[in-house]
Amino acid sequence: MHDTAPPIKPSTTSAAASAAERVKGLRSFTGKYRILHLTWFAFFLSFVVWFNYAPFANTIAEQLGLTVGQKRTIGLCNVALTVPARIFIGMALDRWGPRRVYATILTFAVVPNTVFAISSSFEALVFSRLALSVVGAGFVVGIRMVSEWFPPSEVGTAEGVYGGWGNFGSAAAAFSLPILAGVFGGDDGWRYSIGLTGVIAAAYGIFYLRSVSDTPEGVSYAKPRRQGALEVTNRSAVFGLAALTVPLTAILGVIAWRIWREDVINTPVFIAVLGGITALLIVQELAVFRVNKPALANEYAATDQYPFRSVAVLCFAYFATFGSELAVVSMLPTFFSDTWGLGPSAAGIAASGFAFMNLVARPTGGIMSDLLGSRRKTLSALIIGLLVGYVLLSTLGEAWPWALAIVACMFCSFFVQAGEGAVYAIVPLVKKRVSGQIAGMAGAFGNVGAVSFLTIGIFVSDRVFFLTIAGSAVVALAASYFLVEPVDSFATELLTDEHAEPAPSTSPLEPVPVST
């Protein structure tokens, strides 16, 4: 089987039975399901670490005397380096495999996390949080891992479970870490609570390295034919990739401006940083054209080409879905605290309702994409729901009972998370050998969205903030019209790439057999 086989659509009459069978399969802990469960938990822990600041934002600000702007800047730094990290990690996992890359990220987390937990100055909080933002890039690693074990007909469900259950780490951090801090007690309770998350992540990283393999027994791990930038397969795609590279680098300038604005760096340093960002953009653009010389010359066979416009559409969709999730989850505890006067623990629990929907919504989005016969139409429908949800959130205020506000947040969140599931039901199917890098690029645009929304949030009211996100959903909806339905979308065999550079399956101990 290869990338150009005709798609096989599922029967709509058996959709309900198929969905029930998929849910039942999740009870298994053997073969491919074992890999899925171990991998979503790795993602879960990475998100607990990544989101362990938000529940204590007000407490930390009060203890360390931070201004409102400084508090928001730390939240922004939490997603800053995730943008380039997702690109480079995508390259790394396509080259070295998800097992080693995920283990490395989890064990790395303990270092900046510990520094953050013991920090007593704004500068230390900023720089340790910047380092921790790299941990948030771990998501893309599991996308490639899961797609290696599940066929296209099931990949939406599997990726939805991976993303939804793993993403729940943000909600778990919101409601459990303040309680844990209370158990530790005293003014330093938050420090012990945050510090413990890094230690647990590092220990699991070592366990993960020894417990999984990149592919099923007898299956080769397909690697890109060219390294250094995303490999595209036609001339127009090279220029499209060059264009998409600009916002991924330019957003770093926004981060630098925010840090300069809070007097963490002076003007000469700020100018130097902008110069460095410009140099980085030039290097990346040169790499795009150098790596893709064969595409510029249209040397790829028709059977080896893939539609790069689908990559662009998925980036726009994830900008609106995951970008808004990151931004909203980061601001909701403070929003509930300021609007309804809730304490840190109560505000964290109330805000966790938005992320809580990940448990069911993101898998539901993946299942819908697998079963409804058109991945493009499914994505478009969920984006419409997202648009309606954010318009609803724009009406929230003191006049609303806070319990009803939680319900509104969960309604909106369903479409946000289901939309994310629909995006990553498509990502692994675009082109197998570069699926890690495509996952990284789409994920990076999610972070670009988060940084953009959080920055806009500095200057506008909460109502305008939510309406701005709704506007981005309109753009994503329009773009979804140009998405190309992936070939082999509903095939029942593992997807292969006959044009890829093969790599042997890596296993820590012995191959893990496939089990259905």
Side-chain angles (χ1 to χ4, degrees):
M1 186 179 69
H2 53 78
D3 290 290
T4 57
I8 303 173
K9 294 187 177 182
S11 169
T12 55
T13 59
S14 63
S18 181
E21 187 66 25
R22 289 161 192 262
V23 173
K24 182 179 179 180
L26 295 174
R27 301 174 186 172
S28 173
F29 200 78
T30 60
K32 62 187 180 183
Y33 291 105
R34 176 178 177 274
I35 299 297
L36 173 60
H37 290 308
L38 290 176
T39 303
W40 76 250
F41 193 68
F43 178 33
F44 175 92
L45 288 178
S46 72
F47 257 41
V48 169
V49 172
W50 195 24
F51 281 95
N52 61 19
Y53 164 68
F56 302 110
N58 288 340
T59 301
I60 295 173
E62 182 178 333
Q63 285 192 14
L64 302 185
L66 304 180
T67 66
V68 173
Q70 288 175 323
K71 183 174 67 173
R72 288 178 173 174
T73 297
I74 295 172
L76 184 63
C77 289
N78 200 46
V79 299
L81 295 185
T82 313
V83 176
R86 290 196 175 201
I87 300 300
F88 292 111
I89 287 175
M91 293 180 188
L93 76 95
D94 280 343
R95 184 170 185 175
W96 290 300
R99 178 179 68 91
R100 286 179 286 183
V101 174
Y102 227 152
T104 300
I105 292 171
L106 289 170
T107 51
F108 160 78
V110 70
V111 178
N113 189 74
T114 301
V115 173
F116 183 83
I118 64 176
S119 294
S120 58
S121 69
F122 174 61
E123 291 79 6
L125 293 171
V126 164
F127 290 113
S128 59
R129 213 68 221 177
L130 282 171
L132 276 169
S133 68
V134 174
V135 178
F139 162 73
V140 302
V141 183
I143 292 295
R144 178 76 194 254
M145 174 65 91
V146 171
S147 69
E148 292 294 327
W149 286 82
F150 287 82
S153 61
E154 302 174 19
V155 77
T157 303
E159 299 288 13
V161 169
Y162 164 73
W165 293 6
N167 217 339
F168 185 66
S170 62
F175 68 75
S176 67
L177 293 186
I179 296 174
L180 184 60
V183 173
F184 283 116
D187 291 341
D188 290 336
W190 66 269
R191 297 182 185 273
Y192 293 114
S193 183
I194 287 177
L196 183 61
T197 63
V199 174
I200 293 173
Y204 189 80
I206 297 171
F207 168 78
Y208 189 80
L209 182 68
R210 296 181 56 83
S211 302
V212 303
S213 60
D214 289 331
T215 63
E217 182 179 3
V219 177
S220 294
Y221 187 77
K223 296 181 4 179
R225 291 165 55 183
R226 304 182 68 81
Q227 303 285 347
L230 175 63
E231 178 191 1
V232 296
T233 54
N234 60 69
R235 182 179 178 83
S236 62
V238 179
F239 294 97
L241 177 59
L244 287 183
T245 301
V246 175
L248 293 177
T249 306
I251 201 67
L252 299 179
V254 176
I255 304 299
W257 172 78
R258 287 286 302 273
I259 296 174
W260 168 78
R261 186 171 176 264
E262 299 298 334
D263 293 326
V264 177
I265 57 176
N266 58 34
T267 300
V269 172
F270 174 54
I271 294 174
V273 170
L274 292 181
I277 292 171
T278 302
L280 175 62
L281 176 60
I282 293 172
V283 169
Q284 289 179 313
E285 296 289 10
L286 290 175
V288 166
F289 287 94
R290 173 179 54 80
V291 169
N292 288 296
K293 286 181 180 179
L296 284 170
N298 286 320
E299 295 178 1
Y300 286 87
T303 56
D304 194 26
Q305 295 187 21
Y306 69 92
F308 183 77
R309 73 181 189 185
S310 291
V311 178
V313 172
L314 294 170
C315 288
F316 295 148
Y318 215 57
F319 179 101
T321 55
F322 189 64
S324 68
E325 179 195 350
L326 285 182
V328 171
V329 167
S330 295
M331 60 79 73
L332 270 186
T334 302
F335 176 71
F336 273 97
S337 178
D338 293 344
T339 305
W340 288 280
L342 302 181
S345 295
I349 293 173
S352 70
F354 193 92
F356 182 86
M357 292 301 296
N358 262 304
L359 284 174
V360 293
R362 191 156 181 161
T364 299
I367 292 173
M368 291 171 64
S369 185
D370 281 347
L371 298 181
L372 295 184
S374 172
R375 298 193 186 275
R376 179 181 67 84
K377 292 180 180 178
T378 300
L379 176 60
S380 297
L382 292 171
I383 292 175
I384 292 174
L386 178 152
L387 169 61
V388 173
Y390 278 115
V391 171
L392 175 64
L393 293 195
S394 72
T395 66
L396 294 181
E398 293 180 357
W400 281 65
W402 64 266
L404 189 58
I406 294 175
V407 174
C409 286
M410 295 177 71
F411 169 82
C412 177
S413 178
F414 173 84
F415 291 101
V416 173
Q417 325 296 351
E420 293 166 8
V423 168
Y424 274 92
I426 300 171
V427 164
L429 304 178
V430 176
K431 192 65 175 176
K432 183 176 180 64
R433 69 174 180 262
V434 291
S435 59
Q437 293 175 75
I438 295 174
M441 176 165 283
F445 264 87
N447 290 102
V448 171
V451 173
S452 300
F453 296 139
L454 286 170
T455 301
I456 291 171
I458 298 174
F459 304 103
V460 302
S461 65
D462 293 326
R463 179 175 183 274
V464 175
F465 172 79
F466 289 125
L467 288 176
T468 299
I469 297 175
S472 74
V474 173
V475 175
L477 178 63
S480 68
Y481 175 80
F482 299 98
L483 180 71
V484 178
E485 286 280 352
V487 293
D488 283 342
S489 274
F490 307 105
T492 56
E493 301 175 11
L494 289 175
L495 191 65
T496 61
D497 190 332
E498 63 186 25
H499 298 280
E501 177 186 340
S505 173
T506 59
S507 174
L509 298 175
E510 60 184 14
V512 180
V514 180
S515 172
T516 58

